[in-house]
Amino acid sequence: MKLSGSEIIIESLKKEGVEYIFGYPGGAVLHIYDALFAAEKIKHVLVRHEQGATHAADGYARACNKPGVVLVTSGPGITNCVTGIATAHMDSIPMIVISGQVSRQYVGSDAFQEADATGITRPICKHNFLINDRESIAETFRKAFIIATTGRPGPVIIDIPKDLTDPKVKINFEYKKNIKIRSYNIKKLESDEKIKDAAKLICSAKKPMIYAGGGVILGKASNELVKLTKHLNFPITNTLMGLGAYPSSDKQFLGMLGMHGTYEANMAMHDCDVLLAIGARFDDRVTGDTNQFCPKAKIIHIDIDPSSISKIIEVDHSLIGDTKQILKKLLDHTKYFKKDINKDALSKWWRKINSWQKKKCLSYKKSTKVIKPQSVIETLHKITKGKSFVTSDVGQHQMWVAQYYKFDKPNRWINSGGLGTMGFGLPAAIGAQLAYPREQVLCVTGEASILMCIQELSTCLQYGLPIKIITLNNRYMGMVRQWQEFFYEGRYAMSYMDAIPNFAQLAESFGHIGMVIDKPKDLEKDLTHALSHKNRLVFVDVITDETENVYPMIMSGKGHHEMHLAPSANEDIELA
Amino acid sequence: MTTDKRHIISILVENEFGSLSRIAGLFSARGYNIHCLSVAPTSDDSISRMTLVTYCNEAKASQLMKQLDKLVDVINVKDLTDETHIEREMLLLKVKSTLKQRDELKRLTDIFRARIIDVTDTTYTIELTGPSEKILAFIDSLGKIKIIEQVRSGALGISRGSESLEIKK
Ligand SMILES: Cc1ncc(C[n+]2csc(CCOP(=O)(O)OP(=O)(O)O)c2C)c(N)n1
Ligand SMILES: [Mg+2]
């Protein structure tokens, strides 16, 4: 079969089973767009800003575990993608970004819309390619998909000069699925012996704790995690990225850990004697002061990325490889050692944990005058029975979703944990809604964050995406205000959102339904009504208490046992 | 925290464009210094070999090895520091040589087994290979002789014996 470079690109994407391309055209990719025009199987989603394309592809990937694909032009097209690529990279999300480049003869001449795409993206992606000849297009695409989706996943950029996509020059096309990249080796499964040793150590624990992160979701290992945890009857916590990997409604689940984690999860981390870390990377928002991290524990770390092991915290035992495979084997081995578990010690440990749980660290002062942001999330959870896909932006609202929307399934909670990118929520919801057209997709956001990619409301109309946007409108960059209250004596420098638009009207002007909720008594009824619109996007502007802070909180530089609980929640609780 | 130590690292990398900047970029992004770096193709010209020297503590060195290994272009990487290995560096040195200094310069080059490779009526250009300490000792020994220009290749390293840095299969 003889094809042009552009046709080869489209055919390669088809061979990879690509369903959607999120993109925006421009000079350097017009040949590719022309080839796309004729392609039937692949649907193109026209965003309104290239940052939106990357976040949408990212949201799609997070929702359905398939790589998201982006197509943009050279120069400003690819520079607009930088934030989205870095966002995906920090959370290890598989993504392919195809960027046009000026024709080879102009590369390096400061040509119109020329930017050094591979140079700019090098530190924020798993890998990138600049294609040099037509013959290597197909192979480069195959390599890019292999690299993006295997091992620890991540974004891969393919930069392709315009002349290589010329429709008039055709070459032979063959797509070899099985190609080897000699410099790219995924580690083989850890030896049985090492897994057995880990199982033995786990079963010797008197105060065990399981700490599982986003690697469990990326590795599709949720079922295995649940089986192992249930089998052992051990307590478990999830990171922000891991929420949903273990059902939040289960009694062994202690909630999220870290800076805004629960009292019981953090105290159990501090006191445990064996910690099993799975697909988690000991982020500083999780560990707090690393010198005080799990001071009494032997640590076992399961991760697919060797460079994650002992990067932040020195561990005692590491199992490198696919989390799903390792958890399966670990379960088999723990069956053998289970008889060694000290049952009395474990019950005693559970009693201790239950005493921490009695603090009810997530309780908050209710109000009939102002809408408490936490109650919005609880109400959303109630209405949707905890079954929605929920995206968020970054700030207090993000933490409240993490704390109060009890996720029971993986891939439902979609947020920028690593980079903390405001503007992520709405485009990510586009990706998630396209991946699951019949599921309820909520975007819970802040009045500051939503403005960073608000233009994507237009995309939502074009593709008829019935996303429900809920702003927790506190008239502040709430998370910034909270830090200024705590650490800058209440000097609220530039954190007040002046001149906030009328979001309901704004949504209407984009062709959607806009609503405002400002009274606690209307909350459940109006939210139920908003969510009942099956085929329309509804933008619900919820006016919330502007003074509310996120609790519990570990101040920076403190250990897990030094949490602050909400001062007003339960008057008789002292600061821990 | 352990103290910083000199690490000499060998890297086999795909000879593709961008490979060098990926490696150099990793060092700057993760806060490592590159003391010296040399790179050239191997007998298989699709593969380049790099030798790199950096100073860091043990924990940072072990993290560095993992990060280098993680780069998609890197075929294999090895820290030569703690195994028996040979190091060589080349120095090209242009010095002022007045008539009075010529004998002394000739004597020093002989002692260090260096070679004079270019001469003008006012300058000598000298070539010397050896481990980095020898290069430094030679430069030190020049005393008052004025150095006009100094070019060092940076260290090259190879393991002793039959050990070699392989292309992982
Ligand atoms: C692109 C970007 N710029 C700046 C920040 C820093 N930042 C973190 S939270 C936040 C405030 C977010 O305000 P809002 O969206 O209203 O959410 P709230 O905290 O009020 O719920 C800011 C500015 C960021 N995370 N991302
Ligand atoms: Mg706000």
Side-chain angles (χ1 to χ4, degrees), chain A residues 145-157:
Chain A
F145 275 88
I146 293 174
I147 294 168
T149 57
T150 57
R152 181 175 181 171
V156 177
I157 290 87

Side-chain angles (χ1 to χ4, degrees), chain A residues 118 122 126-128 130 132 147 152 180 182-185 305-307 309-311, chain B residues 14 17-18 21-22 44 46-47 63 66-67 70-75 167-169:
Chain A
T118 48
R122 187 169 299 129
K126 185 169 175 187
H127 197 60
N128 59 22
L130 169 55
N132 256 322
I147 294 168
R152 181 175 181 171
K180 206 179 137 35
R182 89 179 142 184
S183 60
Y184 182 71
N185 291 297
D305 178 3
S307 74
I309 309 292
S310 297
K311 181 172 78 170
Chain B
E14 293 290 348
F17 86 42
S21 47
R22 269 183 235 284
D44 174 347
S46 69
I47 299 177
Q63 177 60 206
K66 293 179 196 168
Q67 292 294 348
K70 189 164 139 181
L71 290 177
V72 171
D73 282 341
V74 169
I75 298 169
I167 301 170
K168 283 184 274 185
K169 294 280 148 52

Side-chain angles (χ1 to χ4, degrees), chain A residues 373-381 397 400-401 404-405 444 472:
Chain A
Q374 301 93 326
S375 72
V376 181
I377 311 300
E378 286 181 327
T379 308
L380 285 172
H381 182 268
H397 63 273
W400 284 318
V401 180
Y404 296 93
Y405 196 95
V444 177
L472 303 188

Side-chain angles (χ1 to χ4, degrees), chain A residues 428-460:
Chain A
I430 292 177
Q433 188 75 79
L434 286 164
Y436 292 102
R438 272 177 287 279
E439 300 282 335
Q440 177 91 260
V441 177
L442 311 179
C443 166
V444 177
T445 178
E447 78 297 328
S449 293
I450 189 66
L451 285 175
M452 286 211 181
C453 273
I454 193 76
Q455 74 285 346
E456 300 308 330
L457 280 175
S458 175
T459 311
C460 295

